[in-house]
Amino acid sequence: MNGHRIGAGQRERLYVSTTATYDETADLDYIAIEYALNGEPVKLTPAEKIHTARILDGRGFSLTAIGERIGSDTSTIQGWKDNGWKPGGKHPKTRARTPRPEPVCGEPRMYRRHLKAGETCDVCRAANAAADRRYRLTGSRAAA
């Protein structure tokens, strides 16, 4: 016998509490936001994603569940939350990168720079040959 329990597939529907359907100043389509709140497929603008994420976070949804409903990464949602539910701010996955130090004579990088400039340097050529031998023997370019 095929059947199901009454109410098994039903869940509470979330509504955006407003009579207006569009906010021109904030660029929000409340009907699209309502669809996203209820897990229905819809394309959202960035402002609508942030608004929807704020509502779902206030209702206790996890970042993963919010991300699935609005189509954004959890780190992006966390960035919005940390920035006071505004776009921008520092993305959690970004980090300051320190630049590589300039090569000095005796390194394979400097040998390649000498070649590019049309120069010859015996110290750098010997360092490059040693690095090449080490790579062929061990499969690693790191100095031991």
Side-chain angles (χ1 to χ4, degrees):
M1 173 178 218
N2 291 336
H4 64 280
R5 292 180 293 126
I6 296 174
Q10 296 175 353
R11 63 175 186 234
E12 175 190 1
R13 183 150 180 92
L14 302 174
Y15 295 99
V16 180
S17 58
T18 182
T19 55
T21 60
Y22 187 74
D23 182 3
E24 290 184 20
T25 58
D27 190 31
L28 298 175
D29 179 3
Y30 291 115
I31 295 172
I33 291 171
E34 184 178 313
Y35 283 168
L37 286 174
N38 292 295
E40 298 172 20
V42 65
K43 288 194 173 223
L44 298 173
T45 65
E48 291 167 349
K49 286 184 178 187
I50 293 171
H51 189 77
T52 306
R54 185 175 52 116
I55 292 171
L56 291 172
D57 183 64
R59 295 186 62 86
F61 283 76
S62 68
L63 292 179
T64 306
I66 296 171
E68 289 172 356
R69 290 194 181 202
I70 67 171
S72 289
D73 189 42
T74 56
S75 59
T76 303
I77 298 166
Q78 186 64 50
W80 293 335
K81 188 174 181 179
D82 294 342
N83 199 31
W85 296 109
K86 295 183 187 89
K90 186 175 179 185
H91 194 274
K93 291 185 178 177
T94 59
R95 61 181 171 93
R97 297 186 184 265
T98 57
R100 283 179 77 175
E102 285 294 315
V104 294
C105 276
E107 294 180 2
R109 286 192 321 157
M110 193 63 191
Y111 172 73
R112 289 186 291 276
R113 195 174 277 191
H114 282 309
L115 282 181
K116 186 176 181 182
E119 304 167 347
T120 58
C121 177
D122 292 333
V123 175
C124 292
R125 190 175 73 221
N128 188 61
D132 189 41
R133 278 191 306 275
R134 185 173 45 252
Y135 179 70
R136 280 182 277 147
L137 288 173
T138 64
S140 173
R141 295 197 186 280

